[in-house]
Amino acid sequence: MNVLGISGSMQANGNTAYLIKMILEAVTEANAEATCEFVSLGGHHIYPCTGCLQCREKKECTITNDDWGQIAAKMQECDVLVIGTPVYYYDVCGQIKNFIDRTYSLWHDRKLSGKYVVTVAVNGDCGADRALETLEGFANAHEFIYAGSVTGKAFLPGEIKDDAAALEDAAAIGKKIANLG
Ligand SMILES: Cc1cc2nc3c(=O)[nH]c(=O)nc-3n(C[C@H](O)[C@H](O)[C@H](O)COP(=O)(O)O)c2cc1C
């Protein structure tokens, strides 16, 4: 089983990254044969979808001079995607939205269909519900199999370590992923 964790935060070691890494650690602990990889979108260049619609014919994105392609290739290879975002203005952050929008090129032939997905959102106070809905919209459109979600509450970097409920949920969902067929 190949599990890919993607954090959309520009903070490569921020709260979202921490929670996703916790999930991946729990997977590895419960299933020694699982291969887990973590990717932060922080520090990566991901241009927005231009809406050119050329991918409808070409079945690939015409933008090739950024980092989206190499991360999307990893996503196509995984069995389980753990995708997370910090909450910005009651929704996902811009970097993950750019990443998601660019997957339109994979949607036409449903190249992500049948993979499992776990969604993660970290907010300082509120807005995680809507961010999770946005991630679920992406997952539903691509016909992922929804395997659950984790919400964290943290504002400053590292504060997620104080959210005992989120850490517990992360460990539980990691175990669940480890036992997915
Ligand atoms: C531009 C911006 C917008 C934010 N909007 C919200 C918000 O709407 N609701 C909220 O509870 N927290 C909001 N926050 C706080 C972040 O969600 C919080 O700091 C989170 O822990 C950051 O995660 P990260 O460390 O993974 O980047 C915002 C932070 C920034 C920088």
Side-chain angles (χ1 to χ4, degrees), residues 23 26-31 169-180:
I23 294 172
V27 173
T28 310
E29 212 169 284
N31 181 350
D169 289 349
I173 210 124
K175 256 187 220 164
K176 182 179 171 182
I177 292 170
N179 292 307
L180 288 173

Side-chain angles (χ1 to χ4, degrees), residues 37-114:
E37 185 176 3
F38 171 78
V39 174
S40 166
L41 299 187
H44 282 108
H45 292 291
I46 300 175
Y47 290 118
C49 171
T50 63
C52 72
L53 299 183
Q54 289 187 55
C55 63
R56 287 201 301 179
E57 301 296 326
K58 295 188 172 158
K59 307 294 165 69
E60 52 188 47
C61 187
T62 53
I63 303 169
T64 54
N65 60 342
D66 70 355
D67 299 326
W68 180 81
Q70 47 153 312
I71 302 168
K74 289 178 193 290
M75 191 164 58
Q76 283 181 256
E77 282 162 21
C78 80
D79 304 301
V80 184
L81 175 67
V82 181
I83 187 165
T85 182
V87 172
Y88 281 9
Y89 294 101
Y90 287 70
D91 213 320
V92 298
C93 70
Q95 182 81 335
I96 198 99
K97 190 63 167 69
N98 280 352
F99 180 80
I100 285 171
D101 289 350
R102 291 276 296 285
T103 64
Y104 195 40
S105 53
L106 305 176
W107 178 80
H108 310 292
D109 286 342
R110 303 296 193 275
K111 289 184 178 159
L112 303 174
S113 176

Side-chain angles (χ1 to χ4, degrees), residues 9 11 14-17 86-90 122-127 154-157:
S9 176
Q11 299 296 317
N15 293 314
T16 310
V87 172
Y88 281 9
Y89 294 101
Y90 287 70
V122 178
N123 60 193
D125 183 33
C126 47
F155 185 68
L156 298 175

